[in-house]
Amino acid sequence: MPESQDTGAAPKIDTSKPHPARMYDWMLGGKDNYPVDEELGRQMVALEPQLPLMARMNRAFMRRATRWLATQGIDQFLDIGSGIPTEPNLHQLAQRERPEARVVYCDRDPIVMAHAEALLRGTPEGALDFALVDAHDTAAVLALAAKTLDLSLPVAVSLVALLHFIRDEDGAHELVSAFKDALAPGSYLVLSHFTADFHSAEDIAKASGAYRAKGLTAALRTRAEFSRFLDGFEPVEPGVVLAEQWHPELGEPVPGQEGHISSTYAAVARKN
C-alpha cells in the first residue's frame, strides 16, 4: 500500500459545509458524500438538470486524456485536486498502457485521503502516492510529488475540474504558472473547466449565489479566459474544445450524452 503524505497533523473532515470533491462524487452517483454536499448538489441540478451527465462527460475526458498520454510515452502523472477515487481511476488507466507508470494524487479534503488509502491498496511499491495538501500551496505539492516522481523528466499534470473553483484574484493563474514553470520539457498540462458560455446570465447568477451562501467560490470562465492557462505551452490537437469533443475515438460515449454538451472546456498542452 502506498504511504499517504501530508503537511502536518491530519485535519478533521468538515461536514458543516459542502466540498467540491464530495459534490462531484455525488454528481457521479457515488456514496462518499454528506447531506450538505447533496443539498447543494440538488440546488445546482434544479438549475441545470444535466449536471450529473456533464460530470460524467468530464470524467470521460480525463480517461481519454490519460490513455492518450500513456501512449505518447508519459509514465509520470500528478493529479491535483484529484477528488474521491472512482473506478477506473487515473493510475489504473495509465498502468494499463504503461505498467511502470507512477502517479501522485493530491487533494486537500481528508475524506479523499481516507478513501484513497482504502482503494489504492495492493499497488506496486513506489508506483503510487497520495498527498493531503491544498493546491494553492504549490511548493508543498511539488515537494511531496518529488518523493514519487522525477520532476526532471516529463510529467503530466492534471488540473481537471479544479480551476473553476479558483478566482483570478485568489491566484488561479499564479497556481498554474508555478506548476508549468516546474515541469521539464516534454511534460503536459491536462485541463478541464466548467463554463458559463452555454447558460443564461440569470441561471449563472443563481448558481453563484448558492455557492457563495455555502462559502464556496466559482469562476466560470469563457473559452478565451480558459485558454490563457495554456500560455507558453503547445495545445495538442484538437486544441481547446468541449470535453466530449477531445478525441472521442479513444473511449466509449457516456450513456445519454447524445444531443447534450458538457459545458466544460478541455485541453491537453505540451511544454516544448
Side-chain angles (χ1 to χ4, degrees):
M1 172 183 170
E3 295 183 358
S4 61
Q5 308 168 16
D6 61 54
T7 56
K12 295 181 180 179
I13 297 172
D14 184 358
T15 62
S16 67
K17 65 179 183 179
H19 187 280
R22 301 194 306 257
M23 286 180 60
Y24 191 55
D25 176 73
W26 179 80
M27 293 283 182
L28 292 170
K31 304 297 183 184
D32 300 318
N33 51 78
Y34 293 94
V36 67
D37 307 303
E38 180 177 351
E39 178 187 2
L40 183 54
R42 290 192 180 279
Q43 290 182 47
M44 298 297 102
V45 171
L47 293 171
E48 174 48 82
Q50 300 303 323
L51 269 179
L53 175 63
M54 294 173 182
R56 293 193 294 273
M57 293 164 78
N58 173 75
R59 191 72 182 172
F61 157 72
M62 181 280 293
R63 293 170 179 164
R64 297 194 307 275
T66 301
R67 188 175 298 116
W68 183 87
L69 287 161
T71 63
Q72 301 302 304
I74 297 297
D75 59 6
Q76 299 193 107
F77 296 82
L78 175 57
D79 188 4
I80 301 170
S82 56
I84 295 167
T86 61
E87 297 279 344
N89 216 328
L90 190 152
H91 73 278
Q92 295 166 316
L93 295 160
Q95 290 170 356
R96 285 177 189 173
E97 302 291 341
R98 300 188 68 84
E100 75 280 14
R102 288 175 289 169
V103 179
V104 174
Y105 294 108
C106 297
D107 204 285
R108 69 180 183 181
D109 190 345
I111 194 173
V112 177
M113 180 178 72
H115 287 283
E117 289 179 336
L119 294 177
L120 304 181
R121 291 191 179 105
T123 58
E125 185 70 24
L128 197 63
D129 211 343
F130 179 88
L132 182 64
V133 60
D134 194 307
H136 287 90
D137 192 349
T138 55
V141 171
L142 291 166
L144 292 169
K147 296 181 178 182
T148 300
L149 308 178
D150 184 348
L151 300 183
S152 70
L153 298 175
V155 177
V157 172
S158 294
L159 294 165
V160 171
L162 174 67
L163 293 170
H164 50 236
F165 295 114
I166 307 174
R167 300 172 300 180
D168 287 358
E169 56 265 39
D170 294 328
H173 287 276
E174 290 80 2
L175 181 155
V176 175
S177 292
F179 291 121
K180 289 161 68 176
D181 291 345
L183 293 176
S187 295
Y188 288 86
L189 196 62
V190 182
L191 299 180
S192 72
H193 194 299
F194 196 77
T195 181
D197 285 356
F198 305 95
H199 301 273
S200 71
E202 180 182 2
D203 283 348
I204 293 302
K206 290 179 181 177
S208 298
Y211 260 65
R212 286 194 299 271
K214 296 295 185 179
L216 300 177
T217 59
L220 305 183
R221 297 176 176 89
T222 65
R223 186 180 187 277
E225 290 168 337
F226 169 73
S227 298
R228 280 187 57 206
F229 289 117
L230 306 176
D231 287 353
F233 277 43
E234 181 182 352
V236 304
E237 292 295 334
V240 175
V241 293
L242 289 169
E244 64 274 22
Q245 297 170 344
W246 199 91
H247 288 288
E249 75 280 1
L250 296 178
E252 295 296 323
V254 173
Q257 80 170 49
E258 185 176 356
H260 297 286
I261 61 172
S262 62
S263 291
T264 300
Y265 290 124
V268 176
R270 186 178 190 274
K271 183 173 185 176
N272 293 323

